[in-house]
Amino acid sequence: MSTHHTTTGTLNAGAVHALAQARHLLVDLDGTLVRQQEAIDGAARLLAHFHDRYAIVSNNSTHTAQGLSVRLRKLGLRVPPERIVLAGELAVRQLAQQHPQARVLLAASAALQRYARAQGCRLVSAEAEADIVLLALDMHFSHTRLSVIANALRRGARLMVTNADATHPGPHGRVVPETGALLAAVVAASGVQPWCVVGKPAPLLFEEGLRRLGAHAGRTVVVGDNPLTDGEGAARLGLACVLVGESPGAVAPTVAGLLVQPVSEAVEPAPQYRLSDSTSKVWRSVRTEVS
């Protein structure tokens, strides 16, 4: 059990000040608001308190915002799709807008594949046809799929990845393998490093969240559970960050602990991620913006 967070009800002064001054929140999803098929204690109350002044900013590359909004509603979290920013959707939009003629080999969920087609992406299945491989969280990833992707990259296709998280937190202390675990296999098989990683800690998701809220960085706080993605990403943009969970620097076990201390009246009411050794090297060697 980590001892890095403070006792419930006694948030450190920095966290209290940041939340008291916050006009807007950018909130992580997995490990912060939800843990697989359950909402985390305090999640609904935190979102209700900030009402229309928050956006969820997540490395999720399985769902679309529309589908995730429906899923969250079933867990008691009412979040409109326009306030959900996802790495998978953002990666697809970047490709569609900046590389409209590229032939894309997409390893992803059926929902993200449908979204990519709707955005006008030219999806291909043969390794010889691919200009770009976009790797997302593909629950049906297989040896055959790995072979096709590795050989497409060896033939000269560029590798774009939604995020490099190796895992995200599951229930009962379990971990759920993430896109970064697939990335480790792809890099090992192909010898090719990513040309672009879209998700946190890269700035694109945070910037999109700020844009949708019309928010100013100086009055916006990031709430997350992962210092490698939420914490580092916030720091890159000069955003304050409050961490929850069991990570070093966490101020409370869950977001429920953020609500114990009263937030300033000036504000209108309203288990860990990790990067594998191989994928953590990605952050030191690749560009984090599509060019």
Side-chain angles (χ1 to χ4, degrees), residues 38-230:
E38 62 183 21
I40 291 175
D41 185 30
R45 285 184 290 144
L46 179 69
L47 298 186
H49 180 86
F50 278 87
H51 188 45
D52 60 352
R53 296 182 289 110
Y54 72 88
I56 290 176
V57 177
S58 170
N59 275 354
N60 180 300
S61 63
T62 306
H63 299 90
T64 63
Q66 187 68 47
L68 186 57
S69 178
V70 173
R71 175 192 170 214
L72 292 177
R73 180 178 289 265
K74 293 177 181 178
L75 301 182
L77 305 178
R78 296 179 178 272
V79 185
E82 60 270 20
R83 274 194 268 125
I84 300 176
V85 182
L86 304 177
E89 283 192 332
L90 189 56
V92 166
R93 288 202 299 274
Q94 290 288 324
L95 279 182
Q97 294 169 8
Q98 299 185 14
H99 302 275
Q101 300 306 313
R103 296 168 297 181
V104 180
L105 179 59
L106 176 59
S109 65
L112 197 61
Q113 291 194 36
R114 288 192 296 270
Y115 181 78
R117 292 190 182 94
Q119 292 294 308
C121 290
R122 299 175 60 191
L123 301 187
V124 299
S125 57
E127 61 195 53
E129 298 176 349
D131 300 314
I132 295 173
V133 172
L134 176 55
L135 179 66
L137 182 54
D138 182 358
M139 299 293 191
H140 300 289
F141 198 79
S142 64
H143 185 275
T144 299
R145 193 65 164 161
L146 176 60
S147 177
V148 170
I149 289 173
N151 284 289
L153 295 173
R154 290 172 63 87
R155 294 176 70 99
R158 292 190 288 180
L159 176 59
M160 184 177 187
V161 186
T162 55
N163 67 288
D165 299 326
T167 65
H168 69 248
H172 311 299
R174 296 170 62 86
V175 297
V176 179
E178 253 289 354
T179 311
L182 307 184
L183 174 60
V186 167
V187 170
S190 68
V192 175
Q193 293 289 334
W195 147 66
C196 171
V197 180
V198 173
K200 299 177 291 186
L204 295 178
L205 271 71
F206 294 104
E207 291 171 343
E208 177 65 11
L210 291 171
R211 186 192 69 79
R212 293 193 191 185
L213 291 172
H216 186 275
R219 295 292 305 277
T220 302
V221 173
V222 174
V223 177
D225 72 315
N226 186 349
L228 293 176
T229 53
D230 304 312

Side-chain angles (χ1 to χ4, degrees), residues 15-25 27 33 42-55 76-79 83 219 221 223 255-270:
V16 171
H17 179 74
L19 290 171
Q21 297 299 313
R23 173 64 187 169
H24 295 95
L25 293 187
V27 191
L33 296 178
R45 285 184 290 144
L46 179 69
L47 298 186
H49 180 86
F50 278 87
H51 188 45
D52 60 352
R53 296 182 289 110
Y54 72 88
L77 305 178
R78 296 179 178 272
V79 185
R83 274 194 268 125
R219 295 292 305 277
V221 173
V223 177
V255 289
L258 304 182
L259 300 169
V260 174
Q261 301 266 351
V263 179
S264 168
E265 293 300 322
V267 178
E268 297 175 13

